[in-house]
Amino acid sequence: MENNTAKNSALGTSSISYGRPVLIMGSGSIVGQMEDEGPLSGSFDKVSDDKNDMFGADSWEKAESALQKEAVAITLSKTGAETRDIRYIYAGDLLGQNIASSFGLVDYQIPLFGLYGACSTCGESLCLGSMCIAAGYADRVISLTSSHFASAQKEFRYPLEYGGQRPLYASWTVTGSAGFLLQNINASGKSVSGRPIKNEYEGKYQKKIGITGITGGRIEDFGIKDSFNMGCAMAPAAAWTIATNLKDFGRKPQDYDAIFTGDLGSVGQEALFKLLQQESIDISDRHYDCGMIIYDAEKQDVHAGGSGCGCSAVVLSAHILPKLAMGDWKRILFVPTGALLNKTSFNEGQNVPGIAHGVVIEALDGE
């Protein structure tokens, strides 16, 4: 393991620029049937084979654990890496005490850092995993997250049997999980058993992809108390992270071919644009929201769009990274967004604060 600390730079108030990119070697995605009925149909690695999305389990929570276990299995299979090649897993979910991650990953026997950033967890895991590699503490890690519509409803709102109605500004929790294998750019290309570890994107598209920097998010609380209105609750955090990333890196929106938020939905997107306009920042011509990409709002009853930890993760795996590798974009800013509430805070009448973490991902030439 090579220590690249001297080559890395802490920028501004919250960002880090890596001296050498941290490679994304490959990813694995698994989703429910509804997700595969949307615009990204056919892009996911695996889709549930039963309409209830139980994934062979007898409870919603166990089904979500199965999602994470399978996402890791797909990621390892596509890259040829073995569990012994992975130093750490950074993973989290929406359930109490991260039980989807802990029960889903126990059999791998890989050291685990359990994370909770609500729906920003994909960004948090990519930030921490890439920081660990850039600092020289690991050659390879897996960043991972998941969500399941039914387990999230049970955890945060009402059991499905209750049949409660959702307001039009509410979103639909994505059933899905995605894992990402990150690797030191100078690491050996072989596993501990001697077989090659493949770069999925280089193999398919002759292009490597890497994380070149990150912007850690901070908690923003605009006093929103409606747990259904997560788009507006998270928009201030997304605005802060995007504005801070641009300032810290000395960039303009035009320096990114695309800027992705996690799950603001159509309502949160409008709030994001208005908040950034107050800072004289306009990203409207290059902004995409993963929650608006994964579903067809006209044909699927999702109201404002998709949400959940798995939303941004599966869109990154199935849609964004391949387009980077194909040359559609050169550099993107990936900003998963999270609403930091639980049923205790909601029942006590507390606000719904938000957080968002930024990850700079680039297609690499000549690395």
Side-chain angles (χ1 to χ4, degrees):
M1 291 176 283
E2 179 178 335
N3 191 328
N4 291 326
T5 303
K7 304 174 185 177
N8 301 326
S9 301
L11 303 177
T13 61
S14 187
S15 302
I16 300 172
S17 176
Y18 297 146
R20 299 295 303 277
V22 174
L23 294 179
I24 303 177
M25 296 293 288
S27 67
S29 61
I30 177 171
V31 297
Q33 290 193 356
M34 182 171 174
E35 288 67 34
D36 196 51
E37 293 169 356
L40 302 184
S41 178
S43 301
F44 307 106
D45 292 305
K46 189 170 182 178
V47 180
S48 170
D49 58 6
D50 74 272
K51 64 179 181 180
N52 293 318
D53 293 336
M54 293 299 292
F55 300 95
D58 59 8
S59 73
W60 304 122
E61 292 77 14
K62 290 179 182 178
E64 188 171 346
S65 291
L67 282 169
Q68 289 214 14
K69 186 174 184 178
E70 184 64 23
V72 172
I74 296 170
T75 303
L76 294 176
S77 176
K78 290 169 72 175
T79 59
E82 304 174 33
T83 55
R84 293 179 296 167
D85 299 316
I86 311 303
R87 189 167 182 87
Y88 303 118
I89 293 181
Y90 292 84
D93 54 80
L94 291 174
L95 305 184
Q97 290 73 53
N98 281 336
I99 58 172
S101 302
S102 56
F103 285 101
L105 302 175
V106 60
D107 290 341
Y108 286 110
Q109 292 295 285
I110 300 172
L112 169 69
F113 289 100
L115 310 176
Y116 186 81
C119 300
S120 75
T121 299
C122 182
E124 183 180 6
S125 65
L126 290 170
C127 285
L128 294 174
S130 62
M131 288 168 64
C132 178
I133 290 176
Y137 299 127
D139 278 343
R140 296 178 192 89
V141 306
I142 286 179
S143 296
L144 174 72
T145 191
S146 67
S147 56
H148 193 294
F149 171 76
S151 66
Q153 287 294 114
K154 182 178 176 181
E155 178 77 20
F156 288 98
R157 297 189 176 95
Y158 303 107
L160 295 177
E161 295 83 358
Y162 183 81
Q165 288 188 311
R166 298 177 298 120
L168 292 177
Y169 52 79
S171 55
W172 186 276
T173 304
V174 166
T175 296
S177 177
F180 305 88
L181 176 59
L182 309 185
Q183 178 176 293
N184 189 318
I185 198 168
N186 296 316
S188 166
K190 293 185 178 181
S191 72
V192 293
S193 63
R195 69 182 185 184
I197 294 178
K198 299 171 289 186
N199 187 313
E200 175 187 358
Y201 308 104
E202 187 177 26
K204 286 184 180 178
Y205 310 105
Q206 291 73 56
K207 184 81 70 174
K208 295 180 181 179
I209 299 173
I211 298 174
T212 58
I214 63 100
T215 299
R218 76 177 188 188
I219 298 172
E220 292 287 307
D221 184 355
F222 273 41
I224 293 174
K225 294 181 180 293
D226 186 348
S227 68
F228 283 102
N229 193 8
M230 292 192 298
C232 285
M234 297 184 292
W240 184 89
T241 298
I242 292 169
T244 300
N245 176 274
L246 296 174
K247 182 178 180 180
D248 287 354
F249 281 88
R251 292 172 179 164
K252 305 181 295 295
Q254 293 73 23
D255 292 319
Y256 291 106
D257 298 311
I259 297 174
F260 292 88
T261 48
D263 50 351
L264 298 181
S266 55
V267 176
Q269 182 191 55
E270 182 179 353
L272 172 66
F273 290 167
K274 290 181 178 179
L275 289 167
L276 287 175
Q277 285 172 2
Q278 297 176 11
E279 304 293 328
S280 300
I281 297 172
D282 183 4
I283 64 168
S284 59
D285 64 340
R286 64 200 61 238
H287 175 260
Y288 305 88
D289 185 73
C290 297
M292 298 170 67
I293 292 173
I294 194 167
Y295 294 128
D296 186 328
E298 294 184 2
K299 297 180 180 179
Q300 296 176 289
D301 183 23
V302 296
H303 294 3
S307 62
C309 294
C311 180
S312 60
V314 299
V315 172
L316 177 64
S317 174
H319 177 67
I320 300 173
L321 295 182
K323 281 190 170 291
L324 274 166
M326 287 187 287
D328 289 8
W329 303 307
K330 170 66 177 176
R331 177 196 289 149
I332 66 106
L333 178 61
F334 179 61
V335 189
T337 42
L340 300 175
L341 80 159
N342 68 11
K343 50 194 173 186
T344 299
S345 65
F346 171 74
N347 288 330
E348 291 179 349
Q350 295 190 53
N351 298 341
V352 182
I355 195 165
H357 301 288
V359 187
V360 181
I361 307 175
E362 300 189 38
L364 307 175
D365 295 317
E367 293 286 353

